[in-house]
Amino acid sequence: TSSVLARFDVERRALGWMEHPHIAGVLDAGRTPAGQPFFAMEFVEGVAITEHCARTQLDLPARLELFLQVCAGVQHAHGKGVLHRDLKPSNLLVEQRDGRAQVKIIDFGLARAIDPEHFALTAHTLAGQFVGTPDYMSPEQAGAGDDLDVRSDVYALGAVLFELLTGRTPLQLRELRADFAAIQRRIREVDPPVPSRCTSGKTARALRGDLDWIVGRALSKEPERRYGTVSALGDDVRRHLASEPIAAGPPTTAYRVRKFVRRNRGLVTAAITLLLTLLVGLFGTIAFATEAAAEARRADAKAEQFDLLANVALLDTLREEAAATYPPWPENADRLAAWQDRCHRPLTAALPAIRATIARLAEAAEPDAGERFLLATLRRTLPEIERELERLTPAMTERRDWAAVVEALTIDRFRDRWDALADELSPQIGLVPLGHNPVTGLPEFYHLRSAWDPTGGIAPADVPIPELRADGSVAVTADSGIVFVLVPGGAARVGRRPEDPGRDENTPPTSVELSSFLIARHELTQGQWRRLTGGERPSLYRQTVVKGGIEFAIDDRHPVENIDHPTVTSVLGRCGLELPTEVQWEFAARAGTSEGWFTGADPNSVAGYANVVDATSHRHAPNFVGTPRFDDGHTLHAPVGSFLPNRFGLYDTIGNVREWTRDRRTPWRMPARDGDGLRDGPPVGGAREYVYRGGGYTTDVEECRVYTRHSAVPTIRSPDLGLRAARRVY
């Protein structure tokens, strides 16, 4: 049926966005020759999490550790904008991998996008249709089901945790059989029991307190009383395992009273009326009203103290919404302003009350259990709030100010230059046209943000714009920003030809239709990285160093190195940049040539074009492996642009530092998609590695051919591994 096919497509796309060790991954998708849709996912040889715990008789800490794996996978899905909506034990499979129990989350067939305007993912649910599994369904999902957020999955995880701890579901809905109206009423109106009261003996004692409170908060009927994120739920479980104070706490008396009143409004109204009548007769209206008002004031004062706990969730929101304001372009101006109103101002305003409450509770003679919990939580949270406000306030101000001026600085101010390029490229926010390179004939552009130092005292409008020299070069200084080359699209042929030498047998010739793309002339410098990250200096060689009695001068013109793939992806993404794909990198490095090096088939032809293992390397660093065929004069990495460029005007594609690409290491025979050439298939041998290309100052020239592939785990850091930025054409 159409609804089945729609959910099938929902699951395929949802899984395609996610890559996590605790989520079953999609390996392939398409249609059979008969038109039947399919997708292939990794095989999980496991059983439901509850069945696994029962079979292996896991103790309580081991069950909680498994539950934390579930939380990690669901949080990853939420980070990708996907709600699961059907979390239950049978969709949380446990298998043995390398002697260790590992959870895999499956069945995203009911998934929906957290932000439907951003992701093309919908639930395809008919109005009034009962979608999900009742025993684990949140009250809001059991209602209209349209206004759902991550807290609906938090509720389902609370139900799973309840069952892991007690061996039964929270609301015991099976006894209602197929009476859907009764099931909905119970889900929406009946509170689940406290876990410790559903067991006995040693188990009940172990659940009493922290775990009762954690489950109770996750299963709150009102979404605003639950954990704001799955990671917050997981954090409380970790705190319990570490015997630290948790963020959840017992329901207050006032909360229990409000719940009772809501369920029994008529009865309570009648009882109050009768009680008031008796009190008026016994004690007098004035005495009663005075005491009631005093009690209300005391209750309100105590409630206000506990209202401060909302700032714990607001702290998570502060971080999450700050991350959603990248890149700092005009299109994100509203989000930047909303962050100020919804997160920054309320947290800043709450600080005096938090400090005063901590001081008051610390001096209390006999604080009750709730007040002791509140004191511990606020003491732990206050430094985090202060630290995040100190970190984010100037960063967000800088981001907001840049978003306000970047269009005027890069498009409006250079309208005549953009008009001259109208047949080749529409205006690109953040880039300044430098004109056509007089040697290559290709248009080049200056990335203004990578040249502006917010701490340098120079306004963005005063950042100098370089000029192309007659030989096609630009001056490279410690203050230089990124220069991008517009590489024209078209039919691209990459990979190793049969007659080419080389040890990598997985790079046969590949043809792909590439769109035009922007790629940096130089490897990203240490100065550019510092300016883009607010002062970070990750490179191992970042200043003048002495090795073997020899002094090597290093400065901000040298390539940044010693950075892992996730960090590179994150930093570039904040600026609207990205890594080139493997195909884009090789196409740009070849610059229209077909030999192993763009300089020719002879390795000696590389002399003057690259910094690789050479005679100087062997004099100063004899541990470098390779045959010195010439002398490039460098032992460590050289300032970018120190050697000759290729025909596209790109420098250091053969050697200096090796360069990360966007691709995971997949079989080269897999087709590259048209447009950007990305290969997004299953990894080779199951390894989660990413490809890097080119050679470095530690690489033998024979290993620097443009088609040679190398890969490494994404977390590796190396002093000869850096990057070259790219940017898609908008």
Side-chain angles (χ1 to χ4, degrees), residues 21-22 42 44 91-93 95 97 102-106:
H22 299 307
E42 64 173 299
V44 182
N91 285 341
L92 309 172
L93 303 185
E95 64 178 354
R97 288 200 176 183
Q102 185 173 29
V103 173
K104 286 284 187 178
I105 304 172
I106 64 169

Side-chain angles (χ1 to χ4, degrees), residues 508-528:
T510 298
S511 295
V512 61
E513 193 70 25
L514 279 182
S515 302
S516 298
F517 62 97
L518 292 153
I519 189 166
R521 294 182 62 167
H522 305 103
E523 294 160 335
L524 196 77
T525 68
Q526 297 190 22
Q528 291 159 2

Side-chain angles (χ1 to χ4, degrees), residues 406-453:
V406 62
E407 187 169 8
L409 291 178
T410 60
I411 295 179
D412 297 343
R413 187 167 60 149
F414 296 96
R415 182 64 64 181
D416 56 336
R417 297 191 186 184
W418 284 114
D419 289 344
L421 290 168
D423 293 338
E424 297 171 83
L425 189 68
S426 58
Q428 304 288 301
I429 191 82
L431 299 183
V432 175
L434 300 181
H436 289 80
N437 187 294
V439 175
T440 68
L442 299 178
E444 299 190 1
F445 306 85
Y446 198 55
H447 184 253
L448 192 62
R449 177 61 187 84
S450 59
W452 176 56
D453 186 353

Side-chain angles (χ1 to χ4, degrees), residues 314 317-318 321 333-349 396 400:
L314 187 56
T317 304
L318 178 89
E321 295 202 4
D334 290 343
R335 285 186 174 182
L336 286 160
W339 179 86
Q340 189 79 18
D341 295 335
R342 290 202 302 261
C343 305
H344 183 267
R345 288 196 182 97
L347 264 182
T348 303
M396 294 294 284
R400 182 194 63 209

Side-chain angles (χ1 to χ4, degrees), residues 78-213:
H78 290 174
K80 295 295 186 179
V82 178
L83 295 178
H84 190 287
R85 297 208 306 160
D86 197 19
L87 293 167
K88 56 186 177 182
S90 60
N91 285 341
L92 309 172
L93 303 185
V94 180
E95 64 178 354
Q96 293 293 330
R97 288 200 176 183
D98 300 325
R100 180 176 177 268
Q102 185 173 29
V103 173
K104 286 284 187 178
I105 304 172
I106 64 169
D107 195 357
F108 280 78
L110 296 184
R112 67 176 291 176
I114 295 173
D115 182 1
E117 294 182 359
H118 186 59
F119 294 107
L121 182 69
T122 58
H124 293 282
T125 304
L126 297 176
Q129 187 174 349
F130 202 65
V131 174
T133 304
D135 280 311
Y136 311 93
M137 185 182 294
S138 67
E140 60 270 27
Q141 191 174 348
D146 291 328
D147 188 20
L148 303 181
D149 58 22
V150 297
R151 294 172 295 185
S152 184
D153 279 354
V154 168
Y155 183 95
L157 290 176
V160 170
L161 181 57
F162 187 104
E163 189 169 356
L164 288 175
L165 300 177
T166 66
R168 52 159 282 183
T169 56
L171 296 178
Q172 298 284 278
L173 298 177
R174 291 183 182 178
E175 64 190 43
L176 300 179
R177 300 184 183 276
D179 187 348
F180 294 127
I183 289 173
Q184 285 180 295
R185 283 196 301 274
R186 182 172 292 189
I187 294 172
R188 297 169 68 179
E189 299 175 7
V190 176
D191 288 324
V194 175
S196 61
R197 295 178 185 172
C198 300
T199 58
S200 59
K202 183 179 179 181
T203 302
R205 290 193 296 274
L207 300 185
R208 195 171 295 127
D210 283 2
L211 292 175
D212 279 345
W213 300 340

Side-chain angles (χ1 to χ4, degrees), residues 519-524 559-560 563 565 568 579-582 585-586 588-589 640 650-663 690-696 699 708 710-711 720-725:
I519 189 166
R521 294 182 62 167
H522 305 103
E523 294 160 335
L524 196 77
V560 67
I563 41 178
H565 195 277
V568 167
L579 286 169
T581 66
E582 226 187 325
W585 189 97
E586 183 176 330
V640 301
L650 305 187
Y651 293 81
D652 302 319
T653 57
I654 295 178
N656 204 25
V657 292
R658 300 171 295 168
E659 301 172 15
W660 282 116
T661 71
R662 194 166 8 133
D663 300 60
Y690 281 82
V691 174
Y692 59 85
R693 287 300 203 101
T699 313
T708 303
H710 302 277
S711 65
D720 67 344
L721 180 55
L723 71 138
R724 182 182 304 268

